[in-house]
Amino acid sequence: MNADPDQTPALCLLQRDGAVATVTLNRPAARNALNLPLLLQLVEALEDATDQGAGVLVLRASGPAFCAGADIRADDGTSIGQPGLRRRLIEQACDLIEAFPASVAAVQGPAVGGGWALAAAAVVTLAAPEATFRFPELRLGFLPPAATVRRMREAVGPALAFRLLAAGERFTADDLARLGLVDVTAAPDLDRRARDLVDQFAAAPADLMHKLRAALSG
């Protein structure tokens, strides 16, 4: 979703540069918490990038926080603990991110719940040293998205995945780097490093990247 002066506020921004799409969560005053308007714009931006033929994706966020997760204070008529629109949109956004031939999430600050799920859906997660990660879902009475559970299990095995998803513990970027889940990158270099990586990915044919990912996951 490109910036439009008639659309206020623009909670999610889409920029295209050749094969590279950059999607920015843009609700910094609320720590990019996922209310329905932001989620609807996020899904639309990811769908637009896909429809426009973007081969690689950068997912980033404005402000000091990457994403505070689902906005449980929002009065939008849904419950994050029950199957509902907001939960389905988080899962849809994760699936759209995962469907790109290659993707990089640039996490500059806290990534909580659905925010961590969005970052984990990317092929590569870059994290500033001050970034933190936490899944509070079980304490709030519901499970993380099923696709996120699968991705975590595949990445670190069932025992570690259980701890990451169930304890509600706050993990640092260094904690996750030791598990191979993130690449720690100095905050001033985060966007440049993300762009360097996607430019390298974009140099390869998209169909071969799809085949390589299928081979790796199979």
Side-chain angles (χ1 to χ4, degrees):
M1 182 175 299
N2 293 300
D4 183 344
D6 295 327
Q7 182 181 42
T8 305
L11 300 176
C12 188
L13 307 174
L14 169 62
Q15 293 179 308
R16 281 290 312 282
D17 183 6
V20 178
T22 300
V23 171
T24 302
L25 305 179
N26 192 42
R27 197 185 174 213
R31 299 171 63 82
N32 298 307
L34 301 170
N35 63 358
L36 278 182
L38 173 53
L39 282 167
L40 288 166
Q41 291 187 31
L42 173 59
V43 167
E44 183 178 347
L46 293 167
E47 289 178 336
D48 286 349
T50 301
D51 292 343
Q52 293 168 14
V56 291
L57 170 72
V58 175
L59 179 67
R60 60 183 303 279
S62 301
F66 179 75
C67 178
D71 191 344
I72 60 176
R73 298 171 300 176
D75 182 13
D76 55 23
T78 65
S79 167
I80 59 172
Q82 300 294 331
L85 179 56
R86 180 162 44 190
R87 185 173 177 84
R88 291 197 300 272
L89 287 170
I90 292 173
E91 293 175 345
Q92 184 179 358
C94 289
D95 290 342
L96 286 164
I97 294 166
E98 189 176 33
F100 278 86
S103 52
V104 176
V107 180
Q108 81 282 21
V112 180
W116 188 359
L118 293 173
V123 177
V124 176
T125 300
L126 302 179
E130 55 269 34
T132 58
F133 301 80
R134 184 168 67 93
F135 272 114
E137 274 76 354
L138 264 66
R139 294 186 179 188
L140 295 173
F142 59 96
L143 291 171
T148 303
V149 175
R150 170 181 57 79
R151 293 180 190 111
M152 289 293 182
R153 184 189 68 241
E154 291 172 351
V156 299
L160 275 175
F162 184 84
R163 178 183 173 187
L164 293 173
L165 296 168
E169 184 177 352
R170 181 177 288 105
F171 296 92
T172 68
D174 285 339
D175 291 333
L176 297 192
R178 285 191 286 271
L179 299 176
L181 293 176
V182 307
D183 181 358
V184 179
T185 303
D189 300 327
L190 201 60
D191 286 335
R192 180 189 58 78
R193 176 60 177 151
R195 183 56 197 248
D196 287 347
L197 272 176
V198 295
D199 283 345
Q200 293 175 43
F201 291 142
D207 62 327
L208 292 182
M209 285 195 290
H210 275 303
K211 290 178 180 178
L212 177 59
R213 289 190 61 192
L216 290 169
S217 62

